[in-house]
Every structure is written in structure tokens, then in C-alpha cells.
Amino acid sequence: MTRAVVLGVCLGLLAVVGVARASESKLKGLDGSIEELTAWLASEEGKWVRARELAEKVLAEHPDSWAGHYVLGVVMHYGEGDLARSAYHLEQALAVFEKKHGKAPGDDTPWRWHELSLRELAATLGEMERPGPELAILDRYDEAYQPKRMAQRVWPLMKLRRYKEAREAARLAIASGNREQMMIARSDLCAAECEAGDREAAFRACTAALEYHQKQPDGGQVEFSNASESALSVFRFDDTERFLQESTRRASPESWGNPYQHLAQLYLFEGRIPEAIAALQAGQELRLRRPAWLDQHGQARLDQSVASLLLVVGQTERAAQMAERAWARPDRQGVHSGTERQARSATAILLTTVLRDLARRHEEDAVTAGFWDGIKLRARAWKERYAAWQSERRAAVFLADPEFLVRTLRPYYVGGADLPQWLVSEVVGMVGAGVTLRALGEARAVEKFGASPSYFDAFEAEAEFRQGHWARALEVAEQALGRLPHAEVLLQGRVAAIAAEAAWQAGDGTRAVQHFATALTKDPDVLRRLDLRLPVGIESDGSPLAEAARSLVERSPRFRVSGGRGATHLVSLRADAGGAQACLLGPQHEVTQCATVRLMQGSGPKEGSRQLVAELHHVAFAYKADLSQADLTSLDGSPTAARADRQVNSLLEQLGPAEH
């Protein structure tokens, strides 16, 4: 959940075009020297470099200028994203002001500087996730000014898990009749009810927060996005998509959150890959239009979504880069209802998954590489496995808390790792099957809502599978497949892969054939993520190249050339003077995927077979959609003209006006 809040007075509370043209009402209580007011005006207009220069000059001449400290606090917050220095200067502004005028200044004082400093400091502390000090500042505000800021208390009280007090603050704010107080209270009450853990109460609160915005043509991005999360918690997937689409329609660069990122995650776990790509491209475009300081509140989440998508479509190298960036540059959690533990554990789990997938790809490539290149690829895979182990240990620290693990296993519930359900399955291997089964027993005891039991079946199947209990794993996996919501396409693909391998190990070839086919249809890369080998037979035209390719397929870590128990699929190898083809055929000899290569003049069977099987590795477990490279370009949010233009404008501002 994302916080609903006015983004600081500097973003338009007192927007004017010049001190001389500002109305008397807007300047009431804002007395100061021309230098102080000019600095304030520069901050109001977002001229951060100019505002900082003027404020620093004021403080150099008058160290006790509350106006100078206030402006520097605003600049540090919105111009430079330095919240600690922002809080320092705002505290200084309050200290020097109250030393002269007290904590409840009268109308005959420049009280607005005090009022603005209290507002801004509360907002800054909120972003820093310091709810206790934020409440203390709100107390000081309410002692001096009207109307009281009851709605702004709901969020920090929620962060402190004081839900009863948060509800009471929301009730008082709504009863006040003040429209802004009512809107903020309803929005933040939505988050509070979600964090309190009552799914139905949260859905009611979040849809109630939409009442005002549904009557307006714009605004309400945060409210619709929050409503989508509450809809997902009660397994209303259609409402989730509808609310998110409305949130994207109302998306504003000046607002918290990025609804396109949430929409992309929804499309991804539903297996709607082209739509997920389009949503993430729109999400990056929105990010590039936002003020740079907002990146610290959502960039890592966006990076994680991009990494997840790239993992599924087979762009694992780039997925690793994005996941590593998300770990290295975590989001602040002050404006999100979740905690740092939830966010960091999710990033560690994702990074572990991506690095292992990348290592397995390099091990596959080593089979088709030359001797020295093969050694290098295996060494690289070893390094990636070691990095994955390190990331897994970081995740295990978070998951060692039994309550946190149980909450993570409860589908779309609060307080656990912030992951889509198809990635929650990775937790089983990280904490161990025995620990998972014990936690699932606790989760089943407390969670009966909606489709939750089907998710527990999916996780239990994986735990039993990892213990080698093939019959039990197959039984529970098939039970999960019959009960999981249709929207959970990627999770269904994973469960099908587990059922397939369990059936094959149990000697039930018929069921193995069926489930392997399902897994390859819904999420082909899941076999690599689970480190499974597809049982295949090999059909060759007998040519030297095809026979050399047969040998490489037999050595592949991704194929199991069947012996006496039969195959679920068939690899067909063909070669002629101009090229070669390797096709993966399904149970009915239908073509699943084909790898085709052109042979360079003079190349021998060995070189051609390596090229052919390398391509087979890449296409056999690839998502089946017409994805061009252009579709994936710029998903990582690389700098574009929009951000470059902003940088140029900042440079020109530093240089000052041109001389004539």
C-alpha cells in the first residue's frame, strides 16, 4: 500500500509568479527580507540550485534565519533527495523560530514559517520511516494550529502497528467534514486495515476510499492502486486489473507509486507477457517524467518487476543486472505500508533465483563450447552459484523468523516477503522442506480464506518433492492444479513441472507426459529454475552433424535421454549442406520448438553441432511469444531524452543567464 499525502508545500501550496505579485493572503505570516522571500519563491518554483544559493547566502549573513533553514530543508528534500539534511535544517528552522516566538506563535508574528516547517518536517520524517518522531511533530502542530491534522496520524500509527488508534484518528478526520482530511484519512485507513490483516475489512475500506475519486475525472492514482492490492488479497483478479487500469489512467508524475509496475506484475503471473512488457515500458516512461527524488521511493520495486519479466522471457543476464541494482539501491519504505524486511527479503529471493538460473544457462552453454571456452563458462557458473548462495543466506536471515515465514506462505497476505506467488515457491528450497511443511501447518490453521488452500497445496507439493516423496508430491501437486485460480499461470507451470518430474520418478510415464507438456506451455523456463531435465528420445537422420549433436544432447544438463522408462518428448535432428535443424516434438509428435542454424562454408560437423544444440537450449525452454528485441529495449530505464533534457536545464540554471 502507498501513502496518500500532499507532496510538500514546495510542490504548489503557495504557487505564485513573483513576490511582488503574490496576494496578501498568501504572504500573510510569511514576513521576511527580500532575500529570504526570493529564496522561498525559488523553492516554490522548483529552482533548486537558485534556491540553495540564495538560502546559503542568507544563512551566511544571518545564521539565525529560520527562513534560510526552511528553504534549505525543502531544497535538500525535493531538490537533492537528502532527507537527513532536510530534517536537520527544518529542525533548525523550528528551533530558532521558537526561541524567539514560542511554540504557539500569534498572528502578529511571521507564524507561517513555523507552520510550514512543522508540515514539512512531518512529511520528511514520514518518508524516513520515523513514525514516532513524525507523531511528535504532528502533536506540536495541533497545539499551535487549526484544523488539527488528524488524518496525517493514521499512517504513522499504522507503521507503529497501533491499528485501533489509527482507526480512531481516521474516524475523527472523516467526521471533521474537511475534504482534504477526509480523503487522506480514507486512503490511509485502507492501508491500515490491510496491514491489520483482515482481508475483507481491508477491501471494504479501500473501495470506500474510491468514493470521492470515482466522481472526478482525474486524481486518485494512489487510491485506485491501493484498492487493487486489497482486491488481490481477496482473490478478485478482475477487480485488481480494473482498479490498476484506472490507476494508470490517472497516473501523475508527482504522485507516490507506479501503478504500471503493479499492472506488469499482474500480467506477468497471468502469463500475459506482451502486456507485461507494455506496462513496464509505460512504467519507465512515467518514472522518467517524475522528479528525481521520487526514485528513492519506487525504483527498486520497478527494477524487481523488470528483472522478474526478463527472467521469465529468458533475458537472464539483464535480469541479473536489474536484480543486483535493486539490491544495491533499495527503496525507502516510509511511503509504503510494508517494511524494509519485506522488501529486502523479496529482493534477495529474486536475486538468488536469477543468479542460479544464469549459472545453469552457462553450464548448458559450456556443453556446446570449445574446451577452453567451456572451462571459462563453468568457472563463471561457479561464481554465479556462489553469489546466489550468498544472496540465499541473506534471504534466510529474514525467513528464519517463523512468523515472517508463515506470513510469506499465506497468499497475498501482509507482513511477509513482498513477492508474487510464483516466486514464493523458491522459499521452499531456501528454508528446507521440513521447515516449510511445519510453517504450512501453521498457515493452514490460521488461513482459510478463499483460494488460500490451493496455494498451500502448491507449496506442500514442492516440499514433498524436495524430500523425494514422489507419490505424495504428485498427489498434492495434482490437487493444487485442480484448485489454483486460473489467473496463476506461472505458478501452475511450476506445479505442473513438479508433478511431471514426480510422476516420471514414480514410473508413471502417462502422467509425466501430460504434466511436462503443461509446464512447457505455461512457463518453459521453470524447468531450468527447478534444475530439471526433460526426458527425451532422439531421432537423427544419421548425418555426421546430427550424430555429433546427439552426443551433445546426451551430455546436456537440460535433457534426460530416456533409457527403459520412455520419453515424454522427442528431439529430432536433421542436417543438410546448407544448414541444420533440431526440433523438440511433443507427446503427439507435434512441433513444440525448432532451432535452425545456417552453416558457414567450410564448417565441420563438430562446429555445426555445437551451434545447433546451443540454439536448441535457447529455444526449447523459451517463452512462446513473438517478442522482438525492440519490445525489451529500455525496460531497464536507461536514460532517455526526457531525463537528459532535465539534466541540461539543471546545467543551464547553474550557469545562470547568458551575458550579452
Side-chain angles (χ1 to χ4, degrees):
M1 294 289 166
T2 306
R3 186 174 191 176
V5 66
V6 179
L7 297 185
V9 295
C10 75
L11 299 181
L13 179 64
L14 299 171
V16 291
V17 296
V19 174
R21 296 166 62 183
S23 67
E24 183 178 348
S25 62
K26 287 180 178 178
L27 290 175
K28 184 179 180 182
L30 203 65
D31 306 345
S33 68
I34 189 64
E35 291 83 4
E36 290 173 329
L37 293 177
T38 302
W40 164 78
L41 181 61
S43 70
E44 289 298 307
E45 294 178 341
K47 296 179 178 178
W48 307 121
V49 175
R50 178 65 172 159
R52 177 171 179 168
E53 289 175 344
L54 291 169
E56 288 178 338
K57 182 180 179 181
V58 167
L59 287 174
E61 298 174 357
H62 304 285
D64 60 347
S65 169
W66 47 75
H69 280 297
Y70 168 76
V71 172
L72 270 184
V74 170
V75 169
M76 292 301 165
H77 186 165
Y78 302 103
E80 303 188 17
D82 190 337
L83 298 186
R85 293 179 70 189
S86 173
Y88 167 78
H89 282 291
L90 293 168
E91 288 167 351
Q92 289 297 110
L94 290 169
V96 295
F97 185 94
E98 291 177 354
K99 183 177 181 180
K100 182 173 182 179
H101 297 292
K103 296 183 177 181
D107 290 343
D108 59 342
T109 69
W111 59 269
R112 191 178 293 277
W113 293 110
H114 183 252
E115 192 260 355
L116 293 179
S117 296
L118 286 170
R119 281 176 178 258
E120 188 59 45
L121 182 55
T124 301
L125 292 170
E127 288 183 42
M128 295 174 72
E129 200 172 10
R130 297 179 61 190
E134 181 183 4
L135 285 172
I137 294 300
L138 290 172
D139 286 340
R140 289 168 62 180
Y141 185 96
D142 288 350
E143 289 172 4
Y145 301 103
Q146 293 286 345
K148 296 184 182 298
R149 295 171 70 77
M150 295 304 302
Q152 283 77 2
R153 295 174 177 273
V154 178
W155 189 269
L157 287 168
M158 178 270 294
K159 279 285 187 177
L160 292 168
R161 306 303 182 236
R162 291 157 57 179
Y163 301 118
K164 184 176 180 180
E165 294 173 72
R167 294 186 185 103
E168 177 62 14
R171 185 189 69 79
L172 292 172
I174 293 169
S176 72
N178 181 288
R179 191 179 74 175
E180 180 182 296
Q181 286 284 296
M182 294 169 67
M183 289 169 57
I184 294 174
R186 285 177 173 149
S187 181
D188 289 356
L189 180 62
C190 156
E193 293 293 3
C194 285
E195 291 300 312
D198 186 328
R199 296 175 188 261
E200 291 180 314
F203 183 69
R204 290 194 299 271
C206 293
T207 50
L210 301 178
E211 181 180 351
Y212 169 80
H213 298 286
Q214 286 172 327
K215 301 173 184 178
Q216 306 300 319
D218 51 23
Q221 171 199 313
V222 167
E223 287 74 15
F224 277 97
S225 182
N226 287 348
S228 75
E229 293 188 54
S230 71
L232 190 59
S233 74
V234 294
F235 307 103
R236 298 177 65 155
F237 297 97
D238 289 342
D239 283 339
T240 300
E241 181 175 358
R242 179 167 59 85
F243 290 145
L244 277 174
Q245 288 178 336
E246 187 62 26
S247 182
T248 62
R249 191 184 71 77
R250 298 165 180 259
S252 165
E254 304 291 349
S255 187
W256 306 121
N258 192 324
Y260 292 104
Q261 177 252 322
H262 295 290
L263 188 60
Q265 285 280 24
L266 174 69
Y267 288 150
L268 181 57
F269 74 65
E270 290 183 341
R272 298 159 65 179
I273 306 300
E275 291 164 283
I277 292 172
L280 282 175
Q281 288 172 330
Q284 293 289 10
E285 291 170 4
L286 175 63
R287 184 186 72 81
L288 291 170
R289 291 190 288 117
R290 301 171 77 191
W293 65 274
L294 281 176
D295 278 351
Q296 63 187 299
H297 299 292
Q299 180 61 62
R301 290 170 183 266
L302 191 57
D303 286 346
Q304 283 180 244
S305 295
V306 173
S308 299
L309 185 141
L310 292 173
L311 171 66
V312 170
V313 302
Q315 296 279 341
T316 318
E317 197 94 44
R318 294 173 65 189
Q321 294 171 3
M322 298 303 294
E324 286 168 347
R325 188 168 83 174
W327 177 261
R329 293 165 45 184
D331 289 333
R332 291 184 179 275
Q333 298 302 313
V335 301
H336 299 287
S337 59
T339 64
E340 182 180 0
R341 170 187 283 190
Q342 292 172 256
R344 296 292 275 169
S345 61
T347 308
I349 292 166
L350 173 62
L351 180 57
T352 302
T353 304
V354 173
L355 288 171
R356 282 185 175 152
D357 191 276
L358 185 58
R360 288 164 187 156
R361 284 181 178 272
H362 286 142
E363 289 163 352
E364 294 168 18
D365 292 341
V367 171
T368 59
F371 179 76
W372 291 113
D373 286 340
I375 290 177
K376 292 177 183 177
L377 285 165
R378 287 187 175 90
R380 186 174 177 184
W382 183 89
K383 290 181 180 179
E384 288 154 354
R385 283 187 178 276
Y386 179 69
W389 176 82
Q390 290 180 306
S391 181
E392 181 183 56
R393 292 302 86 205
R394 290 192 289 262
V397 171
F398 298 110
L399 296 168
D401 180 344
E403 182 181 356
F404 185 78
L405 177 59
V406 169
R407 285 176 174 266
T408 298
L409 294 174
R410 294 174 70 178
Y412 302 112
Y413 195 66
V414 295
D418 189 10
L419 286 168
Q421 298 307 301
W422 64 276
L423 276 172
V424 170
S425 298
E426 295 286 346
V427 169
V428 179
M430 295 183 184
V431 301
V435 173
T436 300
L437 290 172
R438 185 165 59 250
L440 280 173
E442 296 180 28
R444 288 184 188 274
V446 297
E447 180 64 84
K448 308 291 185 182
F449 190 88
S452 295
S454 65
Y455 293 86
F456 297 146
D457 289 342
F459 304 146
E460 181 181 342
E462 181 143 350
E464 296 288 359
F465 173 80
R466 290 180 180 274
Q467 289 186 323
H469 301 160
W470 311 124
R472 177 59 179 167
L474 177 58
E475 176 189 357
V476 182
E478 289 185 331
Q479 182 172 297
L481 288 171
R483 300 165 63 185
L484 279 170
H486 294 301
E488 296 284 2
V489 172
L490 293 188
L491 182 56
Q492 290 170 8
R494 188 181 185 97
V495 177
I498 289 169
E501 181 68 11
W504 195 87
Q505 293 287 353
D508 192 336
T510 301
R511 290 156 87 182
V513 167
Q514 172 191 344
H515 292 309
F516 271 121
T518 299
L520 288 171
T521 298
K522 292 182 179 292
D523 183 11
D525 185 73
V526 74
L527 269 70
R528 185 177 286 115
R529 295 201 298 277
L530 286 168
D531 204 15
L532 300 181
R533 301 169 69 191
L534 182 68
V536 298
I538 299 179
E539 177 185 85
S540 167
D541 66 359
S543 65
L545 189 152
E547 289 304 303
R550 176 198 292 270
S551 176
L552 293 176
V553 172
E554 290 172 346
R555 292 166 48 201
S556 168
R558 207 53 52 225
F559 296 108
R560 179 192 293 118
V561 178
S562 67
R565 281 191 282 179
T568 65
H569 287 68
L570 182 68
V571 174
S572 175
L573 303 170
R574 298 284 185 272
D576 56 33
Q581 186 177 70
C583 288
L584 182 64
L585 307 181
Q588 307 301 320
H589 280 223
E590 74 277 13
V591 175
T592 300
Q593 289 280 34
C594 279
T596 303
V597 298
R598 290 181 175 274
L599 300 178
M600 296 181 62
Q601 188 172 3
S603 63
K606 180 182 289 187
E607 292 78 11
S609 64
R610 288 174 176 171
Q611 187 180 355
L612 180 63
V613 177
E615 184 65 14
L616 177 63
H617 278 148
H618 293 155
V619 304
F621 308 103
Y623 185 83
K624 299 170 182 63
D626 183 18
L627 302 177
S628 67
Q629 185 62 30
D631 291 325
L632 301 173
T633 300
S634 79
L635 282 184
D636 59 356
S638 300
T640 65
R643 180 55 57 87
D645 180 66
R646 187 175 297 138
Q647 293 170 338
V648 169
N649 285 337
S650 178
L651 175 62
L652 291 175
E653 184 183 1
Q654 292 180 56
L655 294 175
E659 296 181 1
H660 298 283

